[in-house]
Amino acid sequence: MFGDLSGMMGKLKEAQEKVEETKKRLDTVLIDEASSDNKVKVTLTANRKIKAITIDETLLNDAEELEDYLIITLNKAIEKATAINENELAVAAKSGMPNIPGMNMFK
């Protein structure tokens, strides 16, 4: 009924391995984002780990303004990283998924 069950299990394991490999690779994919006036720059990985923050010293005298810059710039960078992360992991997972009969009935 389900065909080669061990073959499907092997493919599922391959898919899991591809996802793990992709997660490791995404640690090396860097996303750079800057505020519109370049006073704050951030770099993070596609796995959303912050690697660097550069702050223009003119912002160091106003904590509230600095916080606003950081929030806006970090959120933009995280949004980009999340999109890359989700897309890459979906491709990795889908590429290794077995063709299970009846699973594509909602095309």
Side-chain angles (χ1 to χ4, degrees):
M1 177 175 169
F2 288 108
D4 181 15
L5 189 58
S6 65
M8 283 192 281
M9 294 305 288
K11 287 206 179 263
L12 286 172
K13 183 174 176 153
E14 284 178 35
Q16 184 178 17
E17 289 171 358
K18 284 184 181 186
V19 167
E20 290 305 315
E21 288 171 12
T22 300
K23 284 180 183 178
K24 287 179 185 175
R25 185 177 56 75
L26 290 174
D27 275 332
T28 66
V29 175
L30 299 178
I31 290 89
D32 294 314
E33 186 61 54
S35 61
S36 59
D37 57 5
N38 286 321
K39 287 188 176 183
V40 171
K41 297 176 184 176
V42 298
T43 301
L44 60 141
T45 70
N47 281 328
R48 299 172 296 267
K49 303 281 189 235
I50 297 170
K51 291 295 192 178
I53 298 176
T54 306
I55 300 169
D56 187 287
E57 66 180 59
T58 61
L59 293 174
L60 298 179
N61 296 324
D62 187 344
E64 189 174 322
E65 183 179 22
L66 176 56
E67 289 169 0
D68 291 343
Y69 269 87
L70 285 170
I71 290 168
I72 291 167
T73 307
L74 283 167
N75 280 334
K76 288 192 318 188
I78 291 168
E79 192 175 295
K80 285 181 180 179
T82 298
I84 291 169
N85 183 286
E86 289 174 354
N87 183 54
E88 292 288 324
L89 290 178
V91 168
K94 186 177 180 181
S95 69
M97 291 299 287
N99 184 16
I100 300 172
M103 293 299 285
N104 293 327
M105 64 183 147
F106 296 108
K107 287 185 180 177

